[in-house]
């Protein structure tokens, strides 16, 4: 199983991260280790050696068939379900790595850094690019997004990734975070929603 993720895919998040509104010339793709997957309501154990850890709430897509060099017009055939996930980011380490021109692996792929909720069949939605999602922490909504605001749409991303990697059944794709990211603390209770359906529920320890 491969865990793909895309960075800087919502323009307002790019502003809060970089201080400017911009669209990357190509999708910014990175991978997370399989040991970063956190599911089944298991707690996220806050690493005490990585500094500030931020939540980044994202729509996550599940790949359902093998594909290589997929045309964008057929990309919708290669995923069957969506959920909400958290792309945990070691923000202090990320800033250091970026300033040194190094990859993001350590700040994005550590154990537990890919929290994931319960899958929802994509057929329950009229349009993959019209899904609202949000994150509550301790009962308060802290981040909201809609897939219509993506700079690179789901089908575009799948087509792009498949030029470099063979997609396989069970691979998952984190599609980027909107504005509103922030730090988590021990004892925080995180709940993620697609529309009004809660699909993600876990605590920080």
């Amino acid at each position: 199983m491969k865990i793909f993720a895309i960075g800087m895919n919502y323009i307002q998040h790019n502003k809060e991260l970089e201080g400017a509104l911009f669209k990357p010339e190509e999708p910014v793709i990175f991978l997370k280790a399989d040991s970063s997957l956190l599911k089944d309501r298991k707690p996220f154990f806050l690493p005490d050696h990585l500094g500030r850890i931020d939540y980044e709430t994202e729509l996550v897509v599940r790949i359902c068939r093998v594909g290589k060099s997929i045309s964008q017009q057929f990309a919708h055939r290669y995923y069957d379900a969506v959920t909400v996930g958290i792309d945990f980011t070691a923000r202090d380490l990320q800033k250091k790595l970026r300033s040194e021109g190094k990859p993001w692996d350590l700040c994005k792929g550590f154990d537990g850094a890919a929290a994931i909720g319960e899958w929802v069949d994509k057929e329950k939605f009229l349009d993959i690019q019209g899904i609202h999602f949000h994150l509550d922490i301790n009962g308060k909504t802290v981040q909201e997004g809609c897939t219509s605001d993506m700079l690179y749409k789901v089908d575009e991303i799948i087509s792009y990734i498949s030029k470099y990697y063979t997609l396989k059944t069970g691979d998952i794709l984190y599609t980027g975070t909107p504005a509103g990211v922030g730090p988590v603390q021990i004892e925080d209770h995180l709940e993620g929603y697609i529309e009004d359906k809660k699909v993600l529920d876990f605590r920080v320890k």
Side-chain angles (χ1 to χ4, degrees):
M1 180 198 68
K2 298 183 291 299
I3 303 173
F4 297 101
I6 181 168
M8 299 183 287
N9 201 29
Y10 286 80
I11 200 163
Q12 292 296 333
H13 172 62
N14 296 349
K15 183 177 180 180
E16 72 177 352
L17 199 64
E18 301 285 348
L21 299 171
F22 72 97
K23 178 178 180 178
E25 292 183 4
E26 295 179 323
V28 177
I29 305 297
F30 58 94
L31 284 87
K32 289 174 171 274
D34 58 2
S35 60
S36 68
L37 194 64
L38 182 70
K39 57 183 181 178
D40 302 327
R41 298 195 174 197
K42 292 180 180 178
F44 172 67
F45 290 96
L46 198 65
D48 57 8
H49 64 292
L50 290 179
R52 171 173 164 163
I53 304 295
D54 280 4
Y55 60 81
E56 296 189 6
T57 313
E58 312 193 7
L59 186 86
V60 185
V61 174
R62 183 175 69 191
I63 302 300
C64 64
R65 60 192 294 187
V66 176
K68 174 70 175 174
S69 298
I70 301 165
S71 169
Q72 185 176 323
Q73 70 183 76
F74 298 122
H76 66 279
R77 300 178 180 177
Y78 288 83
Y79 55 93
D80 64 352
V82 299
T83 190
V84 166
I86 306 296
D87 168 22
F88 280 116
T89 303
R91 191 67 71 198
D92 297 333
L93 179 57
Q94 184 188 41
K95 290 178 180 177
K96 179 177 183 293
L97 293 171
R98 293 184 70 184
S99 69
E100 297 172 352
K102 294 179 179 179
W104 295 4
D105 300 56
L106 295 179
C107 70
K108 290 283 196 176
F110 57 89
D111 289 354
I116 195 168
E118 301 168 5
W119 294 108
V120 180
D121 192 314
K122 74 170 186 179
E123 299 304 325
K124 294 185 178 295
F125 305 97
L126 292 176
D127 183 359
I128 190 83
Q129 298 303 157
I131 298 175
H132 291 83
F133 58 96
H134 71 272
L135 175 70
D136 289 0
I137 297 183
N138 304 325
K140 178 181 178 181
T141 298
V142 296
Q143 193 176 20
E144 299 177 86
C146 182
T147 55
S148 63
D149 294 328
M150 286 181 179
L151 298 175
Y152 289 99
K153 308 305 184 186
V154 173
D155 291 356
E156 290 180 86
I157 299 168
I158 287 176
S159 177
Y160 181 83
I161 291 175
S162 72
K163 296 176 182 177
Y164 301 92
Y165 299 94
T166 298
L167 297 179
K168 295 185 177 181
T169 302
D171 288 348
I172 59 179
L173 168 64
Y174 285 69
T175 58
T177 191
V181 303
V184 292
Q185 310 292 338
I186 292 175
E187 299 304 329
D188 279 348
H189 180 200
L190 280 68
E191 298 170 288
Y193 294 78
I194 291 181
E195 302 294 349
D196 59 354
K197 179 179 176 62
K198 183 164 72 171
V199 294
L200 181 71
D201 189 338
F202 67 99
R203 295 180 183 271
V204 179
K205 298 294 185 181

